[in-house]
Amino acid sequence: MNDILWIFFDIGSTLTYDRLGYVNRLLSSSYSLKESDEKYGEYLKEINAIFDRFSKDGFISIPNETVAYIGEV
């Protein structure tokens, strides 16, 4: 077996959202609570609190990095 991996690409970018885009992005995640979940209201409140704390001029920026590897292990 070959223990070598090669980095195919490494792309760094920043994702920027307004409040609605940020909330919708988090709620669309497969791991997000759903409206039928008991703590959904608290979850939504905390999502908005995070936006309020870290946003600037109505937008929040989230660092994002994508790395793809090719090779054999």
Side-chain angles (χ1 to χ4, degrees), residues 37-64:
D37 291 316
E38 182 180 328
K39 301 237 178 197
Y40 180 80
E42 184 179 334
Y43 177 65
L44 196 54
K45 180 180 173 185
E46 291 300 322
I47 288 173
N48 279 284
I50 291 169
F51 184 89
D52 291 339
R53 180 174 178 190
F54 294 103
S55 65
K56 183 174 182 180
D57 298 326
F59 292 91
I60 191 168
S61 296
I62 302 170
N64 184 55

Side-chain angles (χ1 to χ4, degrees), residues 13-19 21-22 51 56 58-63:
S13 63
T14 300
L15 305 174
T16 303
Y17 300 102
D18 63 5
R19 181 183 301 273
Y22 174 71
F51 184 89
K56 183 174 182 180
F59 292 91
I60 191 168
S61 296
I62 302 170

Side-chain angles (χ1 to χ4, degrees), residues 1-6 71-73:
M1 218 179 233
N2 186 346
D3 290 337
I4 298 174
L5 287 176
W6 297 273
E72 296 179 14
V73 177

